[in-house]
Amino acid sequence: MAKAFKFELQDVLDFRNFEQEQAQNELAKALAVETQINNQLQNIAAQFVSVRKQIDSFSDFEDIAAGNRRKVLLESQKEELLKQLAEAKLVSEEKRAVLAEAMKKTTALEKLKEKQLEDWKAESDKEENDFIDDLSNSGKHFRQ
């Protein structure tokens, strides 16, 4: 009978799957950084609103000046975070491109494996049918 199917490039496929998994992990880390920065931006926005309300309620010049200094600080923190977010988005896009390439390589090998498996099955079926035909034909020779 036919021998078991063995994909000659299985080690390469396993390595490509490992690379793909690594790329997915790297993308997840990059997206987590983006999320963290966005959360910090939301926090700063909430603080900014709070400071603005406090300033509106102040009547003392010193309190108003301190509130305005706090707004300036928050604005500068926001600007820094926006720069970091832009950089983080670039990193995420790079990681996304690496993942897409890894997926493409893995998919190509998986398709090759599927094709070879289909060919192997067809060959196995043919060998089995030929064997059955041979048995059937040899049985006819004995009956005659």
Side-chain angles (χ1 to χ4, degrees):
M1 282 291 179
K3 61 183 178 179
F5 173 74
K6 180 172 179 357
F7 182 54
E8 293 89 20
L9 298 174
Q10 187 62 48
D11 289 342
V12 176
L13 178 58
D14 291 343
F15 179 71
R16 293 281 165 81
N17 281 324
F18 173 76
E19 283 181 322
Q20 182 176 331
E21 187 176 313
Q22 291 298 106
Q24 287 170 330
N25 291 339
E26 291 298 316
L27 176 58
K29 288 177 190 175
L31 292 174
V33 168
E34 277 188 52
T35 300
Q36 180 184 16
I37 294 169
N38 278 320
N39 290 341
Q40 289 174 332
L41 282 167
Q42 289 175 351
N43 185 24
I44 285 176
Q47 289 180 45
F48 195 84
V49 169
S50 174
V51 168
R52 192 175 324 141
K53 286 180 182 177
Q54 286 176 348
I55 291 172
D56 291 344
S57 71
F58 292 148
S59 58
D60 183 52
F61 178 75
E62 290 295 321
D63 291 338
I64 293 171
N68 283 327
R69 285 191 301 273
R70 179 76 177 129
K71 278 176 43 179
V72 169
L73 176 64
L74 289 171
E75 188 66 35
S76 98
Q77 289 175 343
K78 179 186 90 171
E79 291 302 318
E80 179 58 32
L81 285 172
L82 288 173
K83 288 178 190 173
Q84 290 177 17
L85 182 59
E87 292 171 8
K89 285 184 179 290
L90 288 174
V91 170
S92 293
E93 286 307 311
E94 290 171 5
K95 301 296 183 186
R96 199 172 271 114
V98 168
L99 176 58
E101 184 63 26
M103 290 173 74
K104 190 165 63 170
K105 289 178 181 179
T106 302
T107 301
L109 278 174
E110 287 173 345
K111 286 182 179 179
L112 178 62
K113 181 179 180 177
E114 288 173 15
K115 173 76 169 100
Q116 287 183 5
L117 180 60
E118 288 174 12
D119 293 347
W120 175 84
K121 284 180 181 177
E123 183 62 30
S124 292
D125 289 348
K126 183 183 178 311
E127 287 177 11
E128 186 176 320
N129 288 336
D130 289 350
F131 180 76
I132 291 170
D133 287 347
D134 287 347
L135 283 177
S136 172
N137 288 336
S138 66
K140 288 179 184 175
H141 293 303
F142 288 121
R143 282 187 241 154
Q144 292 177 351

